[in-house]
Amino acid sequence: MSRPDCAKSRRRGSGTEPVSGYKPLKNKVFIKSYGCQMNVYDSARMADTLAPHGFVATDTPDDADLIVLNTCHIREKAAEKVFSDLGRMRLIRESRAHRGASTMIAVAGCVAQAEGAELAARAPFVDIVLGPQTYHRLPELVARARRAREHVERRRRAAIVDTEFPVEAKFDHLPEPTASGPTAFLSVQEGCDKFCTFCVVPYTRGAEYSRPVADVLREARGLVARGAREITLLGQNVNAYHGVDPRGGASSLGGLIRALADIPGLDRIRYTTSHPRDMNEELILAHRDVPQLMPFLHLPIQSGADRVLADMNRGHTRDDYRRIIDRLRAVRPDIAISSDFIVGYPGETDTEFAESVALVDGVGFIQAYSFKYSKRPGTPAAGALNQVPEPVKAERLAILQAALDRSQERFNLACVGRTMDVLLTGPGRHPGQLVGRSPYLQPVHVVAEGAAVGDIATLVIVAREARSLAAARPGREDASAA
Ligand code: 5AD
Ligand code: SF4
């Protein structure tokens, strides 16, 4: 797998321009997202690009004229899931064909980027393969695939592939987002230049890119106008953000957050995912000064052992990480920290693994994601000779997850009895129940008469459940919410 060569892939054409020979019809599109929140955002933007071309979203593939799988390549399991889902999509397509309806299948995202050729070989029925940097061209690709369908016989037809890294920023060619609701994602940064030895992202998403401040502010104002009270800024390396500011300089993420905080009606700001190396003082001070910035930070460390961190090319030590947490807690004492861990990275010894477990207990993460190391083709660690056997990885994962669960439980228990502002985001499982998010991103259930989705309700936490909290209105603590 090689790095994107932007100069070679220079190309004109935005993909959202009117496409000749294209007739807007009412068509249904089903888009499935795998993996990270950036994919969720990208899927919504794909729907936005298709809407002016007559596509309406459907939540089942069974009646879709166009099926888009927006895929994830981060671990082998995620990539394999795509191939098994493609088998199901093929059956749907065949059963629709018997009823005289045609179905187009597109594979987007990081699997498409990394394994375009393998996809064409393993799933020759796929019509379109497009990477994360070209999805603004989806309407054009659909039109091309339709033309191919009309003019080229089936056995000679190959998938239309667009996995370039075009120099034109796709964001310049996307229509205004149409997403609405109390919470929204906003992509501000993409790509990664860090090249951790285990990770495919620098190859699938390309080099770091930051959107200009003015564009981000415009999109944020639009989201707030459509009802968003909380915006999560997204980026593979979001705190490496360095977008052009209106004076022609560069703004850091801390500066961007301060500018966003001036938007009336934007009550809550979050950002994810950050890298310890880019956790600069300006961003740390934003946690002190900007009340809208929520006291929660997802800061992956991957391992608690310095030798492993060095081998991973992380560019920081365990103590660097701890110093960042100490500094954040000094300016924002209630900040809650979450993280990512990998167990069984090549060469990880029992002692090194024990350092990861010790770090969990030392930092007190309120939640974390943990994964068994998964070999990714083309990444340096995949070729290492000292791979850790699968049963050892499984055992370590269970031990680490138990430590993380204990840490989460301690935090959730300490929340019982506290009063918190909860942004209500949707209906709960039971009649009359609503679900929302605490400042620390915990799911909170409540039965509160008169409260509505979109409210920020001041609630007392009355109980902790397996992965969520139950709350009540102050003074109604005995009326349990669950
Ligand atoms: N194997 C296991 N986990 C991985 N991650 C990234 N690449 C791999 C891999 N090859 C995890 C890291 C990262 C998260 C998004 O996925 O922990 O932070
Ligand atoms: Fe992957 Fe994150 Fe490392 Fe970039 S910083 S290579 S996205 S793990």
Side-chain angles (χ1 to χ4, degrees):
M1 201 183 304
S2 62
R3 289 211 64 196
D5 180 342
C6 294
K8 256 198 245 160
S9 47
R10 184 179 292 270
R11 227 183 91 157
R12 301 265 172 262
S14 69
T16 54
E17 294 149 5
V19 179
S20 66
Y22 188 86
K23 292 187 228 74
L25 298 166
K26 274 284 168 248
N27 279 317
K28 288 187 178 168
V29 56
F30 169 76
I31 307 182
K32 175 170 177 179
S33 272
Y34 303 70
C36 65
Q37 289 157 330
M38 175 97 55
N39 266 11
V40 175
Y41 174 87
D42 288 348
S43 293
R45 303 314 313 275
M46 281 187 228
D48 293 336
T49 66
L50 289 166
H53 299 273
F55 282 91
V56 291
T58 169
D59 53 13
T60 160
D62 298 326
D63 64 351
D65 304 286
L66 171 63
I67 293 173
V68 183
L69 302 185
N70 191 16
T71 62
C72 171
H73 199 244
I74 198 96
R75 283 169 295 276
E76 196 180 353
K77 247 195 197 158
E80 278 308 312
K81 176 94 178 68
V82 173
F83 285 101
S84 69
D85 280 356
L86 272 172
R88 279 181 41 230
M89 300 306 149
R90 178 190 203 167
L91 295 180
I92 290 173
R93 160 140 96 195
E94 282 166 7
S95 110
R96 276 172 52 85
H98 288 309
R99 285 179 271 134
S102 73
T103 316
M104 194 166 282
I105 300 178
V107 180
C110 292
V111 173
Q113 188 67 45
E115 296 192 22
E118 197 187 337
L119 255 171
R122 278 181 70 182
F125 52 88
V126 167
D127 299 281
I128 298 168
V129 174
L130 75 161
Q133 303 311 339
T134 51
Y135 67 72
H136 55 298
R137 297 178 183 155
L138 186 52
E140 175 195 330
L141 300 174
V142 170
R144 275 173 55 197
R146 278 191 174 149
R147 282 198 298 273
R149 198 170 259 190
E150 281 160 23
H151 300 298
V152 184
E153 61 183 284
R154 177 70 207 143
R155 70 192 160 76
R156 291 187 25 234
R157 211 165 55 219
I160 293 176
V161 180
D162 191 348
T163 50
E164 295 181 350
F165 288 85
V167 278
E168 89 258 16
K170 74 175 170 239
F171 293 105
D172 294 347
H173 299 291
L174 290 171
E176 282 299 306
T178 54
S180 62
T183 62
F185 290 133
L186 199 174
S187 222
V188 301
Q189 183 278 338
E190 258 201 82
C192 180
D193 296 341
K194 301 283 191 300
F195 288 91
C196 298
T197 54
F198 52 82
C199 185
V200 283
V201 167
Y203 310 97
T204 56
R205 288 273 170 172
E208 266 179 21
Y209 167 78
S210 298
R211 295 177 69 188
V213 171
D215 289 9
V216 174
L217 293 178
R218 197 187 52 243
E219 190 167 325
R221 282 191 206 99
L223 291 168
V224 172
R226 284 189 303 281
R229 300 189 72 176
E230 175 179 299
I231 291 181
T232 303
L233 308 177
L234 297 181
Q236 266 90 31
N237 244 286
V238 71
N239 58 342
Y241 178 84
H242 56 274
V244 176
D245 70 19
R247 292 181 308 280
S251 167
S252 70
L253 185 65
L256 180 70
I257 287 169
R258 284 172 199 268
L260 284 162
D262 287 337
I263 297 178
L266 179 53
D267 300 294
R268 291 177 158 205
I269 302 170
R270 303 180 184 275
Y271 59 95
T272 198
T273 294
S274 295
H275 193 292
R277 262 159 69 187
D278 295 314
M279 212 57 228
N280 57 39
E281 188 64 9
E282 211 181 338
L283 182 53
I284 291 173
L285 291 180
H287 279 280
R288 181 192 67 187
D289 301 334
V290 180
Q292 294 94 328
L293 187 56
M294 289 293 97
F296 175 88
L297 174 65
H298 181 63
L299 192 64
I301 182 159
Q302 316 296 357
S303 166
D306 284 344
R307 198 218 40 97
V308 176
L309 290 172
D311 205 275
M312 287 175 162
N313 191 32
R314 292 288 294 172
H316 63 83
T317 62
R318 180 192 51 197
D319 284 350
D320 293 334
Y321 187 89
R322 295 207 60 147
R323 270 191 292 275
I324 294 165
I325 305 298
D326 289 347
R327 180 80 195 109
L328 280 160
R329 285 182 172 150
V331 302
R332 183 77 210 231
D334 70 330
I335 195 158
I337 309 295
S338 123
S339 200
D340 288 346
F341 285 87
I342 293 177
V343 301
Y345 177 80
E348 184 191 59
T349 63
D350 284 343
T351 316
E352 287 165 346
F353 168 66
E355 291 184 75
S356 291
V357 181
L359 185 88
V360 170
D361 293 327
V363 171
F365 295 102
I366 77 146
Q367 63 141 83
Y369 302 96
S370 46
F371 312 101
K372 289 188 278 185
Y373 169 71
S374 165
K375 271 181 163 185
R376 305 314 293 129
T379 58
L385 298 176
N386 48 357
Q387 299 290 331
V388 173
E390 202 49 43
V392 177
K393 285 192 216 173
E395 193 188 348
R396 288 183 186 170
L397 187 67
I399 294 170
L400 188 74
Q401 286 184 340
L404 288 166
D405 284 350
R406 283 196 301 275
S407 188
Q408 179 168 25
E409 190 146 325
R410 271 196 297 275
F411 182 73
N412 285 349
L413 255 181
C415 290
V416 176
R418 283 180 61 182
T419 302
M420 292 184 192
D421 285 342
V422 176
L423 172 59
L424 300 172
T425 53
R429 277 188 311 247
H430 306 296
Q433 193 187 50
L434 292 173
V435 67
R437 307 173 157 178
S438 77
Y440 313 106
L441 211 54
Q442 299 143 296
V444 180
H445 295 99
V446 65
V447 178
E449 241 170 68
V453 170
D455 289 353
I456 296 182
T458 302
L459 301 174
V460 181
I461 306 302
V462 292
R464 121 203 105 85
E465 290 157 10
R467 302 257 162 224
S468 62
L469 301 173
R473 290 242 198 240
R476 305 282 315 276
E477 286 90 332
D478 47 350
S480 173

